[in-house]
Amino acid sequence: MKKQLPKMIAVVGTNASGKSGLAVRLAAQYGGEVISADSRQVFRGLDLGSGKITPEEMQGVPHHLLDVCEPGDFFSMADFQRMAYAAADGILARGRLPFLAGGTGLYVDSVLDGYVLSDVKPDLEYREHLETFSTPELYQMLEERAPGTGIDEHNRNRVMRRLEKLHAGDPGHGQRIPRYRALKLGVTWPRETLCQRIDERLARRMADGMLAEVDGLLKRGVSPEFLRKLGLEYRYLSAYLLGEIQTEAEMLDELARAIKRFAKRQMTWFRRDPQIQWLDMEHDPFGQACKAIDTFLESDR
């Protein structure tokens, strides 16, 4: 008889959707631990801008893959996958249930779908060549060589990394060997409600000191280029602090619109996966999720 893969629960969704809070409640209910799948929350000191969950919000539930490297360090999807696998295997070894929670679609899929990734190292000479192009030009180059990659066209670092891999002869993550059997739960809201939630969360973060956080990063020597590559909050707040955007009001208006565009791209990414069970966030999403998890955990016992 073929051995069943160990089980994992994924809670995915857009910015400001409430996925982190729901994952905490579910992990507490089922004796689980949470693995963050967010490409910015791996960096220390990127807290308010990345929406990193606070120790109080964790409510005693262990979290993994937060604060694992310094701002400016190179951190790839392969790094994330390797560390997520180690975290999940440790959770399972403790007799607990791993919950993967986040909105970085490639990170989520690399773990749940079991991308077979290569360890192609950055080609610094080729990277210097790529740095001479604008982000739209780089994305056009990528589309010409590998159309339909699903990579965010504004994420300069990820577009460059994909071009580097293609340059090195790496065909990408065509081969997949899943290590876990996953239940995928999707978290979202009607468009108008989500936009309101984004605006409210942005206002809260600004009141909590997000501008001071980015200012502190710049004063610590974190490069503006690194912050620009992170996108969204770090890109726009650093641009304002460096005088590239003239007023705070203009910066906030541009940032809010950029976050909403990004949330739309996140939904496009996740909607393409027919295995995701979408929760109605306006009608007891916790109860819906528990029902789905109970059925999933009882299967093949």
Side-chain angles (χ1 to χ4, degrees):
M1 182 176 176
K2 187 177 179 181
K3 185 179 178 181
Q4 293 283 1
L5 296 175
K7 293 179 179 178
M8 174 183 286
I9 311 295
V11 182
V12 303
T14 65
N15 281 352
S17 61
K19 59 186 176 294
S20 296
L22 179 60
V24 166
R25 287 188 67 192
L26 292 170
Q29 176 75 12
Y30 289 93
E33 301 180 21
V34 176
I35 301 168
S36 169
D38 188 291
S39 61
R40 303 189 302 173
Q41 293 180 7
V42 298
F43 296 103
R44 298 184 188 96
L46 274 62
D47 301 328
L48 288 168
S50 71
K52 192 178 296 175
I53 191 169
T54 66
E56 294 76 21
E57 291 168 339
M58 292 179 190
Q59 299 180 32
V61 172
H63 278 62
H64 304 268
L65 267 74
L66 300 173
D67 303 324
V68 297
C69 59
E70 292 297 329
D73 286 354
F74 178 76
F75 190 90
S76 68
M77 180 169 63
D79 293 322
F80 173 81
Q81 185 196 57
R82 171 177 47 81
M83 297 176 75
Y85 280 163
D89 292 346
I91 294 167
L92 290 162
R94 291 188 288 275
R96 296 172 67 80
L97 182 62
F99 283 77
L100 185 69
T104 302
L106 272 172
Y107 280 18
V108 171
D109 287 357
S110 75
V111 173
L112 300 186
D113 294 346
Y115 289 172
V116 177
L117 303 173
S118 73
D119 283 328
V120 176
K121 301 300 180 185
D123 180 334
L124 298 181
E125 185 176 334
Y126 184 61
R127 174 164 287 191
E128 287 181 8
H129 170 68
L130 293 179
E131 287 286 10
T132 64
F133 296 92
S134 69
T135 301
E137 288 171 336
L138 290 171
Y139 186 74
Q140 181 62 35
M141 291 163 61
L142 178 59
E143 278 292 291
E144 290 172 358
R145 297 194 61 179
T149 61
I151 293 176
D152 175 8
E153 64 185 286
H154 301 288
N155 191 320
R156 181 179 180 86
N157 195 46
R158 195 162 294 152
V159 171
M160 287 177 63
R161 181 65 175 147
R162 188 73 188 95
L163 284 168
E164 287 174 10
K165 287 192 172 187
L166 290 169
H167 179 71
D170 180 357
H173 39 259
Q175 187 180 7
R176 305 182 183 200
I177 305 177
R179 293 194 182 191
Y180 312 100
R181 191 150 48 111
L183 170 66
K184 304 176 184 180
L185 302 174
V187 176
T188 189
W189 298 82
R191 178 72 180 164
E192 185 176 325
T193 305
L194 180 62
C195 287
Q196 182 179 345
R197 289 175 63 89
I198 288 171
D199 289 336
E200 291 171 351
R201 189 178 70 160
L202 179 56
R204 284 197 307 272
R205 289 180 177 180
M206 289 297 293
D208 288 342
M210 185 165 61
L211 191 62
E213 174 178 290
V214 178
D215 188 44
L217 291 168
L218 289 167
K219 288 176 177 175
R220 279 170 44 200
V222 176
S223 74
E225 179 62 24
F226 173 75
L227 295 174
R228 277 193 290 271
K229 286 178 180 178
L230 291 172
L232 299 181
E233 292 86 354
Y234 295 103
R235 175 187 176 190
Y236 284 91
L237 269 69
S238 61
Y240 168 65
L241 289 166
L242 294 168
E244 297 165 5
I245 299 177
Q246 296 305 310
T247 69
E248 183 173 319
E250 179 187 359
M251 179 271 292
L252 290 173
D253 179 62
E254 291 186 25
L255 174 55
R257 286 189 278 115
I259 295 172
K260 290 164 189 172
R261 289 194 300 269
F262 180 69
K264 185 177 180 180
R265 290 197 298 273
Q266 284 179 301
M267 279 307 302
T268 299
W269 177 276
F270 289 122
R271 287 288 190 194
R272 83 197 205 299
D273 186 345
Q275 295 182 347
I276 295 177
Q277 298 184 35
W278 291 97
L279 305 173
D280 182 349
M281 295 300 290
E282 296 179 302
H283 297 93
D284 189 22
F286 180 73
Q288 297 167 51
C290 288
K291 185 176 180 180
I293 292 172
D294 288 342
T295 301
F296 176 67
L297 294 179
E298 287 294 329
S299 64
D300 303 320
R301 276 191 173 175

